[in-house]
Amino acid sequence: MRGLMELYGLSAADPECAARLPSGVLLDGGSLSHHPAPMLFIEPESGGIVEANRAACAFYGHPFERLCTMFIDDINMLQRDEILARRRAAATGLANRFSMPHRLATGEVREMLVHSHPVMVGERQLLFSVVHDVTECSRMGEALRSREERLELVASSATLGLWDWDVRTGRLSVNPGRVALLGFPAGWTQRGIDDWMERIHHADRNRVLTALNAHLEGRTDRYEAEYRIHDGGDALRWVHDQGRVVRRDAVGVPARVIGLFMDVTARRYAEESRARLFELSLDMLCILDFEGRFHEVNPAWNSTLGWTVSEMLETSLGGLTHEADATAVAQALDQLAAGERVRGLEVRLRCSDGTWRWLSWSARPEVEQRRIYAVVRDVTHQKRQEVELRRMASMDALTGVSNRATFMETLADMMQRCCHDRAVASVLVMDVDNFKLVNDTWGHAVGDEVLRRLGRAMVPLLRTVDTVGRLGGEEFGVLLPGVGPEAACCVAERLRAAIAAMEVPCDDGRGEALRVTVSVGVASCPPYHSVTEVLRAADKALYRAKASGRDRVVCGPVALLEMSCPESPTIP
């Protein structure tokens, strides 16, 4: 009792502090009556309010006469049994401090901290209770606990650990729930900063200290580092660590640093695995933006195109693309920017030595990141094989000139253009004279060589737009687009003369050479406008040349016409 009175500025000499206070004058006019703290005298068993000071009346909102006829149960929001148990505990001295909700006259409920002690008033034992409104403190505490719980929830869900470093004492506190992240012992929550530093991998420790000191000295806005740390065993874990000075002393020296850390072991291992695959892949891997600028390329680009990584990052896809493929690349970038994948795009890119390589692209976009992830393969060899296969499929295997199918397809295209554009064109059909005699006399090997040399002899005498084809056996054809009948006969004569002058070794042991001649039939468009018509006319002209004695040129369509042509004719 003495301590409680002294707490409120009263002394034992005051009449109201006697062991037995006179009944009826407990608070009337005395120091307690005017004290700013609400005070009540309560009967322990019934809970009746015997007296109250002015502060109590004002706080609860009841007049003195009303309040002194009420029971504490009318104010206290706890259950009656619990209220009675607390009064009895206070009356016997077992407990004197209680937290309870009290209802005011307005109906509002406030959280109260009650100090209650037994006193003797005459022959009666009463409870002297001093009440404090701690509602705001309670709300602030609840809000703080709620924030801490939310923070802990966020940290837990994000596998974050929180730490608090008292720089002056070196004490480092880590929230218990996160210590297990690193495999530390369960009790490892309050240690010195040196203990933490000792666990950092020796290869990372200086880098971490440099980053930390830079922040402590005010040279960086925050401390941030990623490093390896030893767990409770022999394993290493990767940690992303960051923090900030939250308090400095009067002279600016850091006093407290708070931060958080995250276990990023899985991410680091995934990044390392990706980097190893990125480096070892034989495929060309790259990351671009939607404008086609390279942001990352693997070493395969250098081995394929010859450009260094830095050179690649300074250029763009468009800057390396062959002009004939520029439209296809632009369309592919638009398609990717729209969120669609691209597969099997084949384009040519320039190498560092100025040559070109065919590359096949498979790419997918990440629209939110504005990035394109691509796998690229060098298909130059395959493209060359395709060209060679097409050439072989269109070429006569023995002579190297076009085969019959290709010749006929080209002839059909030429005749269609002639009809559409009203242009001129000519067809030559030639046959080796007495070729059966060559095979019978010298053998098929010599006969094959005759055909090979005949094909090689004609090609240099023709334009690149002209076509030489083997129609079968010893029969050949020549297509001359844009050449009329007269000029065509001149070309035919020039070919006939070159073949007549050609020598073919016979391998007979005497060093003799074989000479052959050809007969040539010529037909033109107009007047013929179909493949069938022009070939029939050229064949008839060829038969006339054979019938006229061979080794000559005959131009269709009607009469036998032996054409003589000036040397070195000019093809229009």
Side-chain angles (χ1 to χ4, degrees):
M1 181 65 181
R2 179 180 298 274
L4 183 63
M5 296 302 179
E6 291 177 351
L7 178 65
Y8 292 99
L10 304 175
S11 67
D14 290 319
E16 298 176 17
C17 295
R20 296 180 183 273
L21 299 177
S23 179
V25 292
L26 297 177
L27 299 173
D28 187 21
S31 300
L32 298 181
S33 178
H34 299 283
H35 200 281
M39 297 179 182
L40 302 171
F41 279 91
I42 302 169
E43 206 285 322
E45 283 301 318
S46 66
I49 300 175
V50 178
E51 282 202 57
N53 69 348
R54 295 177 181 178
C57 296
F59 175 74
Y60 287 108
H62 295 292
F64 177 79
E65 294 78 7
R66 166 66 177 157
L67 188 59
C68 290
T69 61
M70 296 174 65
F71 291 87
I72 197 65
D73 295 9
D74 299 329
I75 296 174
N76 199 317
M77 299 298 296
L78 298 178
Q79 296 294 324
R80 291 182 180 275
D81 291 344
E82 187 174 355
I83 297 172
L84 177 59
R86 293 192 178 193
R87 290 201 305 269
R88 288 175 176 175
T92 58
L94 293 178
N96 301 108
R97 186 174 180 270
F98 308 96
S99 179
M100 295 178 286
H102 281 190
R103 183 174 53 232
L104 309 184
T106 61
E108 181 184 1
V109 177
R110 308 291 290 182
E111 188 68 25
M112 309 302 295
L113 181 63
V114 180
H115 294 270
S116 190
H117 290 263
V119 296
M120 295 301 296
V121 180
E123 298 299 328
R124 301 170 63 190
Q125 184 188 45
L126 300 177
L127 292 177
F128 175 53
S129 300
V130 181
V131 295
H132 297 277
D133 185 359
V134 293
T135 305
E136 296 305 321
C137 292
S138 179
R139 289 174 180 172
M140 291 175 61
E142 183 63 29
L144 181 60
R145 283 191 297 272
S146 178
R147 285 195 296 270
E148 290 176 347
E149 289 172 356
R150 288 197 297 270
L151 183 59
E152 178 63 24
L153 178 61
V154 171
S156 176
S157 60
T159 64
L160 294 174
L162 308 177
W163 53 266
D164 189 338
W165 176 29
D166 187 331
V167 182
R168 292 169 299 183
T169 65
R171 179 66 63 182
L172 180 69
S173 301
V174 183
N175 60 324
R178 299 295 92 199
V179 168
L181 279 174
L182 304 178
F184 287 8
W188 208 101
T189 56
Q190 295 282 337
R191 295 294 180 95
I193 187 68
D194 293 340
D195 293 333
W196 183 277
M197 288 297 173
E198 283 298 320
R199 287 180 174 267
I200 297 177
H201 191 278
H202 64 87
D204 301 331
R205 193 173 300 143
N206 287 339
R207 177 169 51 83
V208 174
L209 287 172
T210 299
L212 182 58
N213 289 331
H215 178 59
L216 295 178
E217 294 169 4
R219 291 184 281 117
T220 58
D221 292 336
R222 65 177 179 177
Y223 150 73
E224 187 169 8
E226 197 158 289
Y227 53 85
R228 291 160 290 179
I229 193 166
H230 293 276
D231 65 8
D234 298 328
L236 286 170
R237 304 194 70 82
W238 277 96
V239 170
H240 184 88
D241 196 12
Q242 59 183 340
R244 180 172 294 174
V245 174
V246 296
R247 189 172 70 246
R248 295 178 182 270
D249 63 16
V251 294
V253 176
R256 186 183 182 191
V257 183
I258 293 179
L260 55 85
F261 64 88
M262 177 186 292
D263 184 353
V264 294
T265 305
R267 191 206 77 201
R268 288 294 299 223
Y269 285 167
E271 289 177 352
E272 291 173 2
S273 297
R274 171 190 174 277
R276 282 192 289 269
L277 290 173
F278 204 73
E279 181 177 356
L280 295 175
S281 175
L282 296 178
D283 288 327
M284 304 159 69
L285 308 178
C286 66
I287 302 174
L288 309 91
D289 58 28
F290 289 153
E291 286 69 43
R293 291 186 294 266
F294 291 97
H295 287 262
E296 193 171 351
V297 295
N298 71 333
W301 286 86
N302 175 256
S303 59
T304 303
L305 299 184
W307 302 107
T308 64
V309 172
S310 59
E311 288 172 333
M312 288 294 299
L313 299 183
E314 292 173 358
T315 187
S316 66
L317 178 58
L320 297 177
T321 301
H322 193 285
E323 61 180 4
D325 302 325
T327 300
V329 168
Q331 291 174 346
L333 290 175
D334 291 341
Q335 183 178 339
L336 289 162
E340 301 177 19
R341 294 189 179 189
V342 169
R343 296 182 184 274
L345 173 68
E346 294 184 350
V347 296
R348 285 157 290 184
L349 263 62
R350 186 177 70 254
C351 301
S352 60
D353 60 3
T355 59
W356 299 90
R357 306 290 296 183
W358 277 99
L359 303 181
S360 177
W361 291 69
S362 293
R364 62 168 293 172
E366 289 294 339
V367 178
E368 292 183 359
Q369 301 175 12
R370 296 192 59 79
R371 289 292 182 267
I372 300 169
Y373 296 83
V375 178
V376 185
R377 290 186 176 177
D378 183 2
V379 294
T380 305
H381 180 66
Q382 291 93 314
K383 296 292 285 190
R384 288 173 179 169
Q385 284 185 324
E386 290 174 7
V387 172
E388 180 64 16
L389 288 173
R390 285 195 295 269
R391 188 187 71 82
M392 291 177 64
S394 64
M395 181 186 70
D396 176 66
L398 177 63
T399 62
V401 299
S402 297
N403 59 22
R404 180 180 180 85
T406 302
F407 181 88
M408 296 300 292
E409 182 179 344
T410 307
L411 172 59
D413 291 341
M414 184 182 76
M415 296 302 293
Q416 185 176 10
R417 286 195 301 272
C418 286
C419 294
H420 182 271
D421 301 334
R422 298 183 180 275
V424 296
S426 296
V427 178
L428 314 183
V429 177
M430 67 178 64
D431 188 83
V432 180
D433 297 327
N434 300 312
F435 187 69
K436 184 177 184 301
L437 181 62
V438 172
N439 279 335
D440 293 343
T441 303
W442 304 101
H444 287 283
V446 173
D448 289 347
E449 182 62 23
V450 168
L451 297 179
R452 278 192 290 268
R453 289 182 177 246
L454 188 149
R456 290 198 296 266
M458 287 191 287
V459 172
L461 302 177
L462 298 170
R463 303 167 300 173
T464 57
V465 296
D466 300 333
T467 300
V468 180
R470 184 184 178 195
L471 304 182
E474 68 273 20
E475 188 177 23
F476 290 80
V478 179
L479 304 179
L480 303 173
V483 178
E486 184 177 349
C489 287
C490 292
V491 174
E493 176 58 27
R494 185 168 58 182
L495 295 176
R496 184 205 63 77
I499 293 169
M502 180 180 71
E503 294 184 349
V504 181
C506 296
D507 294 332
D508 61 350
R510 294 177 295 177
E512 293 185 5
L514 173 66
R515 294 178 181 271
V516 297
T517 61
V518 294
S519 299
V520 185
V522 181
S524 299
C525 170
Y528 304 108
H529 295 92
S530 71
V531 171
T532 302
E533 289 176 351
V534 76
L535 282 179
R536 183 185 296 119
D539 281 338
K540 287 182 179 180
L542 172 61
Y543 294 150
R544 292 173 187 143
K546 291 277 189 182
S548 300
R550 299 183 176 86
D551 189 22
R552 65 194 59 213
V553 175
V554 172
C555 183
V558 185
L560 280 172
L561 179 61
E562 295 185 18
M563 296 295 301
S564 62
C565 186
E567 294 185 3
S568 304
T570 301
I571 300 177

